[in-house]
Amino acid sequence: ACRGRVECRSPFSNLVLVCAAIAGDRSWATIAAAVVPGTFEMWLADVLHMGFHQEGYWMERFDWFIKLRTLHYYHHTRNMKTNYAVADFWLDSLMGVVQLSPIPA
C-alpha cells in the first residue's frame, strides 16, 4: 500500500503540483486541485488493480475492464518492466514502457 509515499501519488497530482511550483502558486485551492482528483484517481486505480487479480470480479462484464486486465497482465509476464499503469497508459507510453501485446516466449 502507498500510504502517502511520494512515488504513489497519481501522475495527475504530480503534474498539477509541479506546474503550480513553477508558477509560484502555493495556494490551498491549487493544492486541493491536485490532491482531490489525485486521491480519487488512486482509489479508482486500487479498485481496478484489486479486481484484475480476482476471478469473478463484478467488473468482468465490461469489455474495457477485460482489455485493461489483459494489458495489466503483460506487466506480470517475463520482466515486469512494462505497463506500470492500471487504467491509463499515457505515462507508460511517454516513458517508452507501454506493451500492447504479449512478449513472445
Side-chain angles (χ1 to χ4, degrees):
C2 288
R3 305 273 189 254
R5 291 195 326 253
V6 171
E7 65 271 18
C8 293
R9 279 198 310 252
S10 75
F12 175 81
S13 292
N14 289 334
L15 181 65
V16 171
L17 291 173
V18 166
C19 290
I22 290 170
D25 183 359
R26 290 180 170 73
S27 68
W28 284 108
T30 301
I31 293 169
V35 172
V36 172
T39 300
F40 175 76
E41 181 183 7
M42 292 306 294
W43 170 81
L44 181 60
D46 193 44
V47 168
L48 289 172
H49 187 249
M50 288 176 17
F52 291 161
H53 294 281
Q54 291 180 23
E55 204 171 309
Y57 194 63
W58 68 273
M59 286 189 182
E60 287 179 349
R61 62 184 173 194
F62 302 112
D63 290 337
W64 59 265
F65 180 81
I66 300 301
K67 183 177 180 179
L68 287 176
R69 176 188 272 172
T70 302
L71 290 173
H72 177 70
Y73 279 152
Y74 294 158
H75 167 75
H76 287 285
T77 59
R78 314 276 284 183
N79 62 15
M80 292 188 74
K81 294 184 179 179
T82 61
N83 295 7
Y84 295 104
V86 173
D88 186 1
F89 294 92
W90 71 270
L91 192 56
D92 287 341
S93 184
L94 179 71
M95 301 304 282
V97 295
V98 72
Q99 178 186 340
L100 300 176
S101 60
I103 297 173

